[in-house]
Amino acid sequence: FDLEMVPYCDLESGEVLGEGLMCLASTDETFKKKWGQEHWDKQFTQWGVETCWDNGKDSGVLPCSVYLRHCALAASNPAVDVRARESFFD
């Protein structure tokens, strides 16, 4: 995963209010740039794994249940705006 600063906005007006830290999915290329091709080959290629991050939405690869539970619990927090919660669970 990559941690990046991203803009956040008001849910009503869409006005950008500032920036916040967000955890984002990475890419195979980012992994290779950070750790090198040799590490990629050792961790993935030698086992016949062609991609780590670049699976398409129709690949059948899904997040693990523990991670999904963590996200669902966070979105269920009463402090989370109901519009954001409904958007997450939609």
Side-chain angles (χ1 to χ4, degrees), residues 3-19:
L3 296 175
E4 293 187 26
M5 294 300 290
V6 297
Y8 62 89
C9 61
D10 181 82
L11 291 173
E12 293 292 325
S13 68
E15 175 188 356
V16 175
L17 300 175
E19 285 191 329

Side-chain angles (χ1 to χ4, degrees), residues 20-32:
L21 188 63
M22 186 173 204
C23 182
L24 303 171
S26 191
T27 65
D28 292 349
E29 193 59 36
T30 299
F31 183 100
K32 291 173 187 176

